[in-house]
Amino acid sequence: MTTPARLLPLLTRSHEGGRSSMTCLYRCGDACDQPVPNTSEGEYFGDIVAAGVSRRAALRVGGAGAAVVGLTAWSMPSVAAASPAAAGPAGKAGKGSALGFTGIAPTPATVDEVKVPEGFAWAPIISWGDPLHAGTPAFDFDNQTAAAQREQAGYNADYTQFMHGGAGNKGAHKGLLAFNNEYTNDELMFRGVKSSADLTEDQLEIVLAAHGITITEVARRDANSPWRWVQGGRRNRRIHTDTPFAVDGPAAGSAHLRTSDDPTGKLVLGTLNNCAGGETPWGTYLSGEENVNQYFNATGAPDPDGKLKRYGITSGGRGFERVRDRFMVTTEPNEVNRFGWIVEVDPEDPTSTPVKHTAMGRLKHEGATVTLTADGRIAAYMGDDERYEYIYKFLSRGKYKEGNKKHNLTLLSEGDLYVAKLNGDGAADGEYDGGGQWLPLVVGGVSKVPGWSVEEVLIWTRLAASVVGPTKMDRPEDVQPNPVNGRIYAAMTNNTARTPAEIDEANPRAKNKHGHITEFTEAGGDHAALTFTWKIVLVAGDPTDPQTYFNGFDKTEVSPISCPDNVAFDATGNLWISTDGMPGTLNYCDALYVMPLEGADKGKLQQFLSVPVGAETCGPTILGPDSVIVSVQHPGEVSGATPENVISHFPYRGDGQPRPGVIHAYRRHGK
Ligand code: FEO
Ligand code: CA
Ligand code: CA
């Protein structure tokens, strides 16, 4: 596919966070252009005495000011950083590695192509609009209807979960794929629509139907063939803005969750802005409701204690209130409290009612990833994706029982909620690292936040957490346990608002536009522990930038990377990282990388694939060394792009228009 020969507005304007301005508008309601919601007091490096290191000593180590603490130490690693003038890694493919592929070179941001390593191929598994049921109409860009969209793959694929075979379907070449449909690009879905304000009511109904979650059976011809969706699969399902959800946990039925349509406070229609997620050991699908603020119009709504403001709920902009008055906050003030949860779906049972788990708190949930504690409880790790927000852990009250799905489906309904405080140990050791605590919010069914009830803590978790003094992070997104080494890896995407006075050892870079990844080790290796140690293993950016750090690896042999968002692991515990924002920060397409965490190649970051112009790489699932699933979200999302001015034709299936979806990258055996 050739690159479109037109000037891309992308190159002339990007937001602070590195995304296209259209991404910012549609996905998170221009969050980076809004005032930072978390204005609570936070402790920063300059304010505190880090464990064993006085502020004066830290400043002495760091040089002239706190802004360079640690970065100075890291600019003199044992292996010299590449000189910007030298032939560094930028623009060159990586050398061969033990990973079994040769890393690809970064792809210029204007290229409309999926790139995979030598010897690999890729194919779309499913794309926006693909019909799920036997009688579902085929995708027809110019004649789309809400009824069709409710039975077709949703828009903007994000988190993916793949279940090989699946219960009752044991074939090696059959499986089940579930994926989030985070948001819509209204300007790319319809002709003549410059913004959501231009949508007709019929188009708004299509938009509501294109949000949510898609579940589809998949099949492949043989072990060397790509997976592809199966129209008419028994478990195929769409979950969208009108799908009923049960509410469970301590806040279910709260007066703050009751509405005129639902006086019980226990039944919500729809899930929105589903971003990342996680698979449970009992085979269900967890999904995070993230930037839900954009769907609610709070014009004229009183906000005496700042609860709407802290969640970014202002004037909306997506127009949902025009077709569902529950999205007008003055009309239905509690509806907004019914979004921002972790939801659980049983993909095996298409008749099951999905659940919103209030015990896990209400945030801008990136996702939730779960693992077992030493005594068999469930630990769920969660990031709240906004500048200066926090990282959370949920510990179930009950224990996992192998094979008892009915019991296991109750585990996320009751438990303890904690928020992370990270303490640096000073810059003298040349590493960004230290210890930390999980600060209690709700334990044993009792609020640990003075003056706050349990239901208040769970419904307004952000504000309650600020009372106990956690560490304000640089947009914590995926937080995920590594099944091989038991450690937890958290992606901090970026935070360009952080000032030099606000840096701390856990967020050590002012105007952090490239982000970083932090490794947590729970005390005793037990996910039930309430203390941990931590270390930053990747400070992203162009490796020629002396501020970057690749877990100590020679920076002349690593790939540029920026804005880490999702993380995943392969069977040997290598860390896979997908990005959201490279076009705006490094002028490359977003990509998927792998970085070994152990051995001789520890820290050797290599690029595995890149997605087309305007797209974001999301939801990686590593099926094996030769087989990777990713979502290609918002291809062609470039300011000025329209159905008449198409910037990306992904997935190149003849429709002409960009169609976000899920792809399979696989090794071409025998070739
Ligand atoms: Fe939906 Fe945090 O990205
Ligand atoms: Ca340190
Ligand atoms: Ca994300």
Side-chain angles (χ1 to χ4, degrees), residues 19 27 158 182 273-276 290-291 366 385 475-477 493 565-566 580 616 633:
R19 293 170 173 162
R27 176 145 33 139
D158 202 304
E182 187 178 25
N273 215 262
N274 301 78
C275 190
E290 195 189 38
N291 293 296
E366 175 73 15
D385 181 6
R475 285 189 59 201
E477 299 214 55
T493 288
D565 182 336
N566 297 138
D580 173 16
E616 164 190 350
Q633 193 180 93

PDB file of all heavy atoms in Angstrom, residues 19 27 158 182 273-276 290-291 366 385 475-477 493 565-566 580 616 633, ligand 1:
ATOM      1  N   ARG A  19      -0.743  12.574  20.947  1.00  0.00           N
ATOM      2  CA  ARG A  19      -1.769  12.053  20.058  1.00  0.00           C
ATOM      3  C   ARG A  19      -2.193  13.093  19.034  1.00  0.00           C
ATOM      4  O   ARG A  19      -1.996  14.285  19.219  1.00  0.00           O
ATOM      5  CB  ARG A  19      -3.011  11.686  20.871  1.00  0.00           C
ATOM      6  CG  ARG A  19      -2.821  10.543  21.807  1.00  0.00           C
ATOM      7  CD  ARG A  19      -4.042  10.485  22.681  1.00  0.00           C
ATOM      8  NE  ARG A  19      -4.039   9.301  23.517  1.00  0.00           N
ATOM      9  CZ  ARG A  19      -4.806   9.188  24.600  1.00  0.00           C
ATOM     10  NH1 ARG A  19      -5.598  10.160  24.943  1.00  0.00           N
ATOM     11  NH2 ARG A  19      -4.777   8.104  25.299  1.00  0.00           N
ATOM     12  N   ARG A  27     -11.527  10.501  22.046  1.00  0.00           N
ATOM     13  CA  ARG A  27     -11.333   9.475  23.054  1.00  0.00           C
ATOM     14  C   ARG A  27     -11.502   9.981  24.470  1.00  0.00           C
ATOM     15  O   ARG A  27     -12.156   9.381  25.287  1.00  0.00           O
ATOM     16  CB  ARG A  27      -9.963   8.835  22.940  1.00  0.00           C
ATOM     17  CG  ARG A  27      -9.807   7.847  24.097  1.00  0.00           C
ATOM     18  CD  ARG A  27      -9.053   6.714  23.728  1.00  0.00           C
ATOM     19  NE  ARG A  27      -8.083   7.167  22.761  1.00  0.00           N
ATOM     20  CZ  ARG A  27      -6.875   6.745  22.767  1.00  0.00           C
ATOM     21  NH1 ARG A  27      -6.523   5.879  23.647  1.00  0.00           N
ATOM     22  NH2 ARG A  27      -6.036   7.146  21.885  1.00  0.00           N
ATOM     23  N   ASP A 158      -9.850  -2.300  21.053  1.00  0.00           N
ATOM     24  CA  ASP A 158      -8.778  -2.074  22.035  1.00  0.00           C
ATOM     25  C   ASP A 158      -8.375  -3.429  22.613  1.00  0.00           C
ATOM     26  O   ASP A 158      -7.996  -4.343  21.861  1.00  0.00           O
ATOM     27  CB  ASP A 158      -9.233  -1.064  23.095  1.00  0.00           C
ATOM     28  CG  ASP A 158      -8.052  -0.403  23.799  1.00  0.00           C
ATOM     29  OD1 ASP A 158      -7.215  -1.143  24.354  1.00  0.00           O
ATOM     30  OD2 ASP A 158      -7.952   0.834  23.811  1.00  0.00           O
ATOM     31  N   GLU A 182     -13.610   0.936  22.115  1.00  0.00           N
ATOM     32  CA  GLU A 182     -13.451   1.999  23.099  1.00  0.00           C
ATOM     33  C   GLU A 182     -14.279   3.244  22.796  1.00  0.00           C
ATOM     34  O   GLU A 182     -14.973   3.765  23.639  1.00  0.00           O
ATOM     35  CB  GLU A 182     -11.983   2.374  23.237  1.00  0.00           C
ATOM     36  CG  GLU A 182     -11.742   3.365  24.365  1.00  0.00           C
ATOM     37  CD  GLU A 182     -10.286   3.710  24.558  1.00  0.00           C
ATOM     38  OE1 GLU A 182      -9.509   3.598  23.590  1.00  0.00           O
ATOM     39  OE2 GLU A 182      -9.913   4.108  25.665  1.00  0.00           O
ATOM     40  N   ASN A 273     -16.528   3.477  26.651  1.00  0.00           N
ATOM     41  CA  ASN A 273     -15.098   3.788  26.645  1.00  0.00           C
ATOM     42  C   ASN A 273     -14.276   2.652  27.241  1.00  0.00           C
ATOM     43  O   ASN A 273     -13.369   2.865  28.045  1.00  0.00           O
ATOM     44  CB  ASN A 273     -14.841   5.115  27.361  1.00  0.00           C
ATOM     45  CG  ASN A 273     -13.711   5.878  26.698  1.00  0.00           C
ATOM     46  OD1 ASN A 273     -12.578   5.836  27.143  1.00  0.00           O
ATOM     47  ND2 ASN A 273     -14.005   6.550  25.589  1.00  0.00           N
ATOM     48  N   ASN A 274     -14.600   1.452  26.804  1.00  0.00           N
ATOM     49  CA  ASN A 274     -13.918   0.254  27.300  1.00  0.00           C
ATOM     50  C   ASN A 274     -12.520   0.207  26.724  1.00  0.00           C
ATOM     51  O   ASN A 274     -12.331   0.071  25.522  1.00  0.00           O
ATOM     52  CB  ASN A 274     -14.730  -0.977  26.907  1.00  0.00           C
ATOM     53  CG  ASN A 274     -16.119  -0.899  27.496  1.00  0.00           C
ATOM     54  OD1 ASN A 274     -16.969  -0.180  26.969  1.00  0.00           O
ATOM     55  ND2 ASN A 274     -16.336  -1.593  28.581  1.00  0.00           N
ATOM     56  N   CYS A 275     -11.543   0.282  27.591  1.00  0.00           N
ATOM     57  CA  CYS A 275     -10.170   0.489  27.137  1.00  0.00           C
ATOM     58  C   CYS A 275      -9.388  -0.817  27.204  1.00  0.00           C
ATOM     59  O   CYS A 275      -9.447  -1.636  26.309  1.00  0.00           O
ATOM     60  CB  CYS A 275      -9.544   1.592  27.964  1.00  0.00           C
ATOM     61  SG  CYS A 275      -7.965   2.124  27.318  1.00  0.00           S
ATOM     62  N   ALA A 276      -8.656  -1.027  28.291  1.00  0.00           N
ATOM     63  CA  ALA A 276      -7.921  -2.286  28.421  1.00  0.00           C
ATOM     64  C   ALA A 276      -8.735  -3.250  29.279  1.00  0.00           C
ATOM     65  O   ALA A 276      -9.897  -2.991  29.599  1.00  0.00           O
ATOM     66  CB  ALA A 276      -6.546  -2.030  29.007  1.00  0.00           C
ATOM     67  N   GLU A 290     -13.260   3.778  30.852  1.00  0.00           N
ATOM     68  CA  GLU A 290     -12.212   4.771  31.063  1.00  0.00           C
ATOM     69  C   GLU A 290     -12.729   6.210  30.970  1.00  0.00           C
ATOM     70  O   GLU A 290     -13.276   6.733  31.925  1.00  0.00           O
ATOM     71  CB  GLU A 290     -11.049   4.508  30.095  1.00  0.00           C
ATOM     72  CG  GLU A 290      -9.778   5.252  30.475  1.00  0.00           C
ATOM     73  CD  GLU A 290      -8.709   5.164  29.409  1.00  0.00           C
ATOM     74  OE1 GLU A 290      -9.038   5.212  28.215  1.00  0.00           O
ATOM     75  OE2 GLU A 290      -7.521   5.046  29.762  1.00  0.00           O
ATOM     76  N   ASN A 291     -12.611   6.821  29.796  1.00  0.00           N
ATOM     77  CA  ASN A 291     -12.934   8.256  29.692  1.00  0.00           C
ATOM     78  C   ASN A 291     -14.431   8.467  29.458  1.00  0.00           C
ATOM     79  O   ASN A 291     -14.850   9.005  28.434  1.00  0.00           O
ATOM     80  CB  ASN A 291     -12.105   8.881  28.575  1.00  0.00           C
ATOM     81  CG  ASN A 291     -10.633   8.905  28.920  1.00  0.00           C
ATOM     82  OD1 ASN A 291     -10.214   9.562  29.867  1.00  0.00           O
ATOM     83  ND2 ASN A 291      -9.840   8.153  28.167  1.00  0.00           N
ATOM     84  N   GLU A 366      -8.236   2.123  33.258  1.00  0.00           N
ATOM     85  CA  GLU A 366      -7.593   1.588  32.060  1.00  0.00           C
ATOM     86  C   GLU A 366      -8.043   0.140  31.877  1.00  0.00           C
ATOM     87  O   GLU A 366      -8.499  -0.254  30.808  1.00  0.00           O
ATOM     88  CB  GLU A 366      -6.076   1.652  32.207  1.00  0.00           C
ATOM     89  CG  GLU A 366      -5.294   1.001  31.073  1.00  0.00           C
ATOM     90  CD  GLU A 366      -5.332   1.812  29.791  1.00  0.00           C
ATOM     91  OE1 GLU A 366      -5.705   2.996  29.843  1.00  0.00           O
ATOM     92  OE2 GLU A 366      -4.995   1.260  28.735  1.00  0.00           O
ATOM     93  N   ASP A 385      -6.099   6.130  34.282  1.00  0.00           N
ATOM     94  CA  ASP A 385      -5.376   6.830  33.225  1.00  0.00           C
ATOM     95  C   ASP A 385      -5.738   8.304  33.151  1.00  0.00           C
ATOM     96  O   ASP A 385      -6.591   8.712  32.375  1.00  0.00           O
ATOM     97  CB  ASP A 385      -5.622   6.155  31.874  1.00  0.00           C
ATOM     98  CG  ASP A 385      -4.852   6.875  30.769  1.00  0.00           C
ATOM     99  OD1 ASP A 385      -4.066   7.791  31.089  1.00  0.00           O
ATOM    100  OD2 ASP A 385      -5.048   6.522  29.595  1.00  0.00           O
ATOM    101  N   ARG A 475       0.067   9.332  34.331  1.00  0.00           N
ATOM    102  CA  ARG A 475      -0.948   8.607  33.545  1.00  0.00           C
ATOM    103  C   ARG A 475      -0.715   7.084  33.602  1.00  0.00           C
ATOM    104  O   ARG A 475      -0.319   6.458  32.609  1.00  0.00           O
ATOM    105  CB  ARG A 475      -0.972   9.055  32.076  1.00  0.00           C
ATOM    106  CG  ARG A 475      -1.637  10.411  31.857  1.00  0.00           C
ATOM    107  CD  ARG A 475      -1.827  10.704  30.384  1.00  0.00           C
ATOM    108  NE  ARG A 475      -2.648   9.674  29.751  1.00  0.00           N
ATOM    109  CZ  ARG A 475      -2.659   9.423  28.450  1.00  0.00           C
ATOM    110  NH1 ARG A 475      -1.900  10.127  27.633  1.00  0.00           N
ATOM    111  NH2 ARG A 475      -3.423   8.483  27.956  1.00  0.00           N
ATOM    112  N   PRO A 476      -1.031   6.458  34.707  1.00  0.00           N
ATOM    113  CA  PRO A 476      -0.860   5.002  34.785  1.00  0.00           C
ATOM    114  C   PRO A 476      -1.908   4.265  33.966  1.00  0.00           C
ATOM    115  O   PRO A 476      -3.098   4.402  34.212  1.00  0.00           O
ATOM    116  CB  PRO A 476      -1.010   4.707  36.277  1.00  0.00           C
ATOM    117  CG  PRO A 476      -1.786   5.852  36.833  1.00  0.00           C
ATOM    118  CD  PRO A 476      -1.483   7.038  35.980  1.00  0.00           C
ATOM    119  N   GLU A 477      -1.457   3.502  32.993  1.00  0.00           N
ATOM    120  CA  GLU A 477      -2.384   2.751  32.130  1.00  0.00           C
ATOM    121  C   GLU A 477      -2.332   1.279  32.544  1.00  0.00           C
ATOM    122  O   GLU A 477      -2.664   0.931  33.656  1.00  0.00           O
ATOM    123  CB  GLU A 477      -2.037   2.993  30.659  1.00  0.00           C
ATOM    124  CG  GLU A 477      -2.160   4.476  30.311  1.00  0.00           C
ATOM    125  CD  GLU A 477      -2.629   4.733  28.890  1.00  0.00           C
ATOM    126  OE1 GLU A 477      -3.683   4.227  28.491  1.00  0.00           O
ATOM    127  OE2 GLU A 477      -1.923   5.459  28.166  1.00  0.00           O
ATOM    128  N   THR A 493       2.091   6.401  30.632  1.00  0.00           N
ATOM    129  CA  THR A 493       2.154   6.812  29.227  1.00  0.00           C
ATOM    130  C   THR A 493       2.902   8.123  29.024  1.00  0.00           C
ATOM    131  O   THR A 493       3.765   8.241  28.164  1.00  0.00           O
ATOM    132  CB  THR A 493       0.740   6.905  28.654  1.00  0.00           C
ATOM    133  OG1 THR A 493       0.253   5.585  28.505  1.00  0.00           O
ATOM    134  CG2 THR A 493       0.729   7.578  27.304  1.00  0.00           C
ATOM    135  N   ASP A 565       1.682   2.088  26.563  1.00  0.00           N
ATOM    136  CA  ASP A 565       0.271   2.108  26.974  1.00  0.00           C
ATOM    137  C   ASP A 565      -0.148   0.740  27.498  1.00  0.00           C
ATOM    138  O   ASP A 565      -0.396   0.558  28.675  1.00  0.00           O
ATOM    139  CB  ASP A 565      -0.562   2.540  25.756  1.00  0.00           C
ATOM    140  CG  ASP A 565      -2.044   2.659  26.049  1.00  0.00           C
ATOM    141  OD1 ASP A 565      -2.534   2.029  26.994  1.00  0.00           O
ATOM    142  OD2 ASP A 565      -2.738   3.380  25.312  1.00  0.00           O
ATOM    143  N   ASN A 566      -0.173  -0.255  26.622  1.00  0.00           N
ATOM    144  CA  ASN A 566      -0.532  -1.609  27.054  1.00  0.00           C
ATOM    145  C   ASN A 566       0.718  -2.446  27.208  1.00  0.00           C
ATOM    146  O   ASN A 566       1.699  -2.270  26.473  1.00  0.00           O
ATOM    147  CB  ASN A 566      -1.447  -2.289  26.026  1.00  0.00           C
ATOM    148  CG  ASN A 566      -2.766  -1.560  25.862  1.00  0.00           C
ATOM    149  OD1 ASN A 566      -3.250  -1.393  24.753  1.00  0.00           O
ATOM    150  ND2 ASN A 566      -3.346  -1.107  26.961  1.00  0.00           N
ATOM    151  N   ASP A 580       0.891   4.459  22.281  1.00  0.00           N
ATOM    152  CA  ASP A 580      -0.202   5.359  21.910  1.00  0.00           C
ATOM    153  C   ASP A 580       0.329   6.782  21.924  1.00  0.00           C
ATOM    154  O   ASP A 580       0.297   7.436  22.968  1.00  0.00           O
ATOM    155  CB  ASP A 580      -1.356   5.193  22.910  1.00  0.00           C
ATOM    156  CG  ASP A 580      -2.447   6.229  22.677  1.00  0.00           C
ATOM    157  OD1 ASP A 580      -2.467   6.850  21.601  1.00  0.00           O
ATOM    158  OD2 ASP A 580      -3.279   6.415  23.577  1.00  0.00           O
ATOM    159  N   GLU A 616      -3.350   3.588  16.572  1.00  0.00           N
ATOM    160  CA  GLU A 616      -2.698   3.254  17.833  1.00  0.00           C
ATOM    161  C   GLU A 616      -2.639   1.733  17.928  1.00  0.00           C
ATOM    162  O   GLU A 616      -3.564   1.046  17.486  1.00  0.00           O
ATOM    163  CB  GLU A 616      -3.532   3.837  18.974  1.00  0.00           C
ATOM    164  CG  GLU A 616      -3.253   3.299  20.355  1.00  0.00           C
ATOM    165  CD  GLU A 616      -4.303   3.777  21.378  1.00  0.00           C
ATOM    166  OE1 GLU A 616      -5.118   4.662  21.038  1.00  0.00           O
ATOM    167  OE2 GLU A 616      -4.301   3.249  22.491  1.00  0.00           O
ATOM    168  N   GLN A 633      -6.269   0.490  16.364  1.00  0.00           N
ATOM    169  CA  GLN A 633      -7.325   1.418  16.744  1.00  0.00           C
ATOM    170  C   GLN A 633      -7.168   2.731  15.992  1.00  0.00           C
ATOM    171  O   GLN A 633      -6.067   3.193  15.754  1.00  0.00           O
ATOM    172  CB  GLN A 633      -7.284   1.663  18.262  1.00  0.00           C
ATOM    173  CG  GLN A 633      -8.529   2.368  18.771  1.00  0.00           C
ATOM    174  CD  GLN A 633      -8.513   2.628  20.269  1.00  0.00           C
ATOM    175  OE1 GLN A 633      -8.104   3.696  20.708  1.00  0.00           O
ATOM    176  NE2 GLN A 633      -8.960   1.678  21.054  1.00  0.00           N
TER     177      GLN A 633
HETATM  178 FE1  FEO B   1      -7.889   4.160  26.603  1.00  0.00          FE
HETATM  179 FE2  FEO B   1      -5.678   4.718  28.752  1.00  0.00          FE
HETATM  180  O1  FEO B   1      -6.112   4.446  27.030  1.00  0.00           O
END
